[in-house]
Short mmCIF file of all heavy atoms in Angstrom, two decimals:
data_model
loop_
_atom_site.label_atom_id
_atom_site.label_comp_id
_atom_site.label_asym_id
_atom_site.label_seq_id
_atom_site.Cartn_x
_atom_site.Cartn_y
_atom_site.Cartn_z
N ALA A 288 -2.97 13.57 13.23
CA ALA A 288 -3.39 14.95 13.47
C ALA A 288 -4.31 15.04 14.68
O ALA A 288 -4.19 15.96 15.51
CB ALA A 288 -4.09 15.51 12.23
N GLY A 289 -5.22 14.07 14.81
CA GLY A 289 -6.11 14.05 15.97
C GLY A 289 -5.36 13.84 17.27
O GLY A 289 -5.65 14.51 18.28
N ALA A 290 -4.40 12.92 17.26
CA ALA A 290 -3.61 12.66 18.47
C ALA A 290 -2.78 13.88 18.85
O ALA A 290 -2.66 14.24 20.04
CB ALA A 290 -2.71 11.45 18.24
N ARG A 291 -2.19 14.54 17.86
CA ARG A 291 -1.39 15.73 18.14
C ARG A 291 -2.25 16.85 18.71
O ARG A 291 -1.84 17.55 19.65
CB ARG A 291 -0.69 16.20 16.87
CG ARG A 291 0.37 15.25 16.33
CD ARG A 291 1.02 15.80 15.08
NE ARG A 291 1.88 16.94 15.38
CZ ARG A 291 2.49 17.67 14.45
NH1 ARG A 291 2.29 17.39 13.17
NH2 ARG A 291 3.27 18.67 14.78
N GLU A 292 -3.44 17.02 18.15
CA GLU A 292 -4.33 18.07 18.64
C GLU A 292 -4.71 17.83 20.10
O GLU A 292 -4.69 18.76 20.92
CB GLU A 292 -5.58 18.13 17.77
CG GLU A 292 -6.55 19.24 18.17
CD GLU A 292 -7.77 19.30 17.29
OE1 GLU A 292 -7.89 18.45 16.38
OE2 GLU A 292 -8.62 20.19 17.51
N ARG A 293 -5.04 16.60 20.42
CA ARG A 293 -5.43 16.29 21.80
C ARG A 293 -4.25 16.43 22.75
O ARG A 293 -4.39 16.95 23.87
CB ARG A 293 -6.01 14.88 21.88
CG ARG A 293 -7.37 14.77 21.19
CD ARG A 293 -7.88 13.35 21.14
NE ARG A 293 -8.20 12.82 22.47
CZ ARG A 293 -8.74 11.62 22.67
NH1 ARG A 293 -9.01 10.83 21.63
NH2 ARG A 293 -9.01 11.20 23.90
N LEU A 294 -3.07 16.00 22.30
CA LEU A 294 -1.89 16.15 23.15
C LEU A 294 -1.54 17.62 23.33
O LEU A 294 -1.18 18.05 24.45
CB LEU A 294 -0.71 15.40 22.53
CG LEU A 294 0.60 15.44 23.33
CD1 LEU A 294 0.43 14.74 24.68
CD2 LEU A 294 1.74 14.80 22.54
N ASN A 295 -1.64 18.41 22.27
CA ASN A 295 -1.36 19.84 22.38
C ASN A 295 -2.33 20.52 23.35
O ASN A 295 -1.93 21.41 24.12
CB ASN A 295 -1.48 20.50 21.01
CG ASN A 295 -0.32 20.16 20.10
OD1 ASN A 295 0.74 19.72 20.56
ND2 ASN A 295 -0.50 20.35 18.80
N THR A 296 -3.59 20.10 23.32
CA THR A 296 -4.57 20.67 24.24
C THR A 296 -4.23 20.34 25.68
O THR A 296 -4.30 21.20 26.56
CB THR A 296 -5.98 20.15 23.90
OG1 THR A 296 -6.30 20.52 22.55
CG2 THR A 296 -7.02 20.74 24.83
N ILE A 297 -3.84 19.08 25.91
CA ILE A 297 -3.44 18.68 27.27
C ILE A 297 -2.24 19.48 27.72
O ILE A 297 -2.19 19.98 28.86
CB ILE A 297 -3.13 17.17 27.30
CG1 ILE A 297 -4.40 16.35 27.05
CG2 ILE A 297 -2.52 16.78 28.64
CD1 ILE A 297 -4.15 14.87 26.85
N ALA A 298 -1.25 19.63 26.83
CA ALA A 298 -0.04 20.37 27.19
C ALA A 298 -0.35 21.84 27.47
O ALA A 298 0.15 22.42 28.46
CB ALA A 298 0.99 20.25 26.07
N THR A 299 -1.17 22.45 26.64
CA THR A 299 -1.53 23.86 26.84
C THR A 299 -2.27 24.05 28.16
O THR A 299 -1.97 24.99 28.93
CB THR A 299 -2.39 24.35 25.67
OG1 THR A 299 -1.65 24.22 24.45
CG2 THR A 299 -2.77 25.81 25.86
N ASP A 300 -3.23 23.18 28.42
CA ASP A 300 -3.99 23.27 29.68
C ASP A 300 -3.08 23.07 30.88
O ASP A 300 -3.20 23.76 31.90
CB ASP A 300 -5.11 22.24 29.70
CG ASP A 300 -6.22 22.55 28.71
OD1 ASP A 300 -6.22 23.68 28.17
OD2 ASP A 300 -7.08 21.68 28.49
N PHE A 301 -2.17 22.10 30.75
CA PHE A 301 -1.28 21.80 31.87
C PHE A 301 -0.40 23.00 32.21
O PHE A 301 -0.30 23.41 33.37
CB PHE A 301 -0.41 20.59 31.53
CG PHE A 301 0.57 20.22 32.61
CD1 PHE A 301 0.17 19.51 33.74
CD2 PHE A 301 1.91 20.60 32.52
CE1 PHE A 301 1.07 19.18 34.74
CE2 PHE A 301 2.81 20.28 33.52
CZ PHE A 301 2.40 19.58 34.63
N VAL A 302 0.25 23.57 31.21
CA VAL A 302 1.14 24.72 31.45
C VAL A 302 0.35 25.90 32.01
O VAL A 302 0.74 26.52 33.01
CB VAL A 302 1.86 25.12 30.14
CG1 VAL A 302 2.61 26.44 30.33
CG2 VAL A 302 2.83 24.02 29.72
N GLY A 303 -0.78 26.23 31.39
CA GLY A 303 -1.56 27.37 31.83
C GLY A 303 -2.09 27.21 33.24
O GLY A 303 -1.97 28.13 34.09
N GLN A 304 -2.67 26.04 33.55
CA GLN A 304 -3.27 25.84 34.87
C GLN A 304 -2.22 25.66 35.96
O GLN A 304 -2.42 26.11 37.10
CB GLN A 304 -4.22 24.64 34.83
CG GLN A 304 -5.45 24.90 33.95
CD GLN A 304 -6.42 23.74 33.97
OE1 GLN A 304 -6.96 23.39 35.02
NE2 GLN A 304 -6.63 23.14 32.80
N MET A 305 -1.11 25.04 35.62
CA MET A 305 -0.05 24.90 36.61
C MET A 305 0.56 26.26 36.95
O MET A 305 0.87 26.55 38.12
CB MET A 305 1.03 23.95 36.10
CG MET A 305 0.66 22.48 36.19
SD MET A 305 0.36 21.91 37.89
CE MET A 305 1.93 22.25 38.68
N ASN A 306 0.75 27.11 35.96
CA ASN A 306 1.29 28.44 36.23
C ASN A 306 0.28 29.30 37.00
O ASN A 306 0.67 30.11 37.87
CB ASN A 306 1.69 29.12 34.93
CG ASN A 306 2.98 28.54 34.34
OD1 ASN A 306 3.74 27.88 35.05
ND2 ASN A 306 3.21 28.78 33.06
N ASP A 307 -1.02 29.14 36.70
CA ASP A 307 -2.04 29.84 37.49
C ASP A 307 -2.02 29.36 38.94
O ASP A 307 -2.16 30.17 39.87
CB ASP A 307 -3.43 29.60 36.89
CG ASP A 307 -3.63 30.35 35.57
OD1 ASP A 307 -2.83 31.27 35.29
OD2 ASP A 307 -4.57 29.99 34.83
N TRP A 308 -1.86 28.06 39.09
CA TRP A 308 -1.79 27.50 40.46
C TRP A 308 -0.59 28.08 41.21
O TRP A 308 -0.70 28.45 42.38
CB TRP A 308 -1.67 25.98 40.38
CG TRP A 308 -1.28 25.33 41.66
CD1 TRP A 308 -2.08 25.04 42.72
CD2 TRP A 308 0.04 24.91 42.03
NE1 TRP A 308 -1.36 24.46 43.73
CE2 TRP A 308 -0.05 24.37 43.33
CE3 TRP A 308 1.29 24.94 41.40
CZ2 TRP A 308 1.06 23.86 44.01
CZ3 TRP A 308 2.39 24.43 42.06
CH2 TRP A 308 2.27 23.91 43.36
N GLN A 309 0.54 28.16 40.52
CA GLN A 309 1.73 28.75 41.14
C GLN A 309 1.47 30.20 41.55
O GLN A 309 1.84 30.63 42.65
CB GLN A 309 2.90 28.72 40.15
CG GLN A 309 3.79 27.48 40.23
CD GLN A 309 4.79 27.57 41.36
OE1 GLN A 309 4.65 26.85 42.36
NE2 GLN A 309 5.78 28.44 41.24
N ALA A 310 0.85 30.96 40.67
CA ALA A 310 0.64 32.39 40.93
C ALA A 310 -0.29 32.63 42.12
O ALA A 310 -0.21 33.67 42.78
CB ALA A 310 0.06 33.05 39.67
N GLN A 311 -1.15 31.68 42.43
CA GLN A 311 -2.10 31.85 43.54
C GLN A 311 -1.50 31.44 44.88
O GLN A 311 -2.13 31.65 45.93
CB GLN A 311 -3.36 31.02 43.26
CG GLN A 311 -4.17 31.53 42.07
CD GLN A 311 -5.27 30.56 41.67
OE1 GLN A 311 -5.58 29.64 42.42
NE2 GLN A 311 -5.84 30.77 40.49
N GLY A 312 -0.31 30.88 44.88
CA GLY A 312 0.32 30.46 46.12
C GLY A 312 1.48 31.34 46.52
O GLY A 312 1.75 32.37 45.89
N LYS A 313 2.18 30.91 47.60
CA LYS A 313 3.32 31.67 48.12
C LYS A 313 4.56 30.79 48.10
O LYS A 313 4.51 29.60 48.40
CB LYS A 313 3.06 32.11 49.55
CG LYS A 313 1.90 33.10 49.70
CD LYS A 313 1.72 33.47 51.17
CE LYS A 313 0.56 34.44 51.37
NZ LYS A 313 0.36 34.76 52.81
N THR A 314 5.68 31.44 47.78
CA THR A 314 6.94 30.72 47.77
C THR A 314 7.48 30.62 49.20
O THR A 314 6.88 31.14 50.15
CB THR A 314 7.97 31.45 46.89
OG1 THR A 314 8.29 32.71 47.52
CG2 THR A 314 7.41 31.71 45.51
#
Side-chain angles (χ1 to χ4, degrees):
R291 293 180 71 185
E292 182 180 2
R293 290 174 67 176
L294 181 64
N295 287 341
T296 300
I297 294 171
T299 300
D300 290 349
F301 179 79
V302 171
Q304 293 183 61
M305 282 299 300
N306 286 342
D307 288 344
W308 167 80
Q309 268 280 109
Q311 293 170 14
K313 295 179 181 178
T314 67

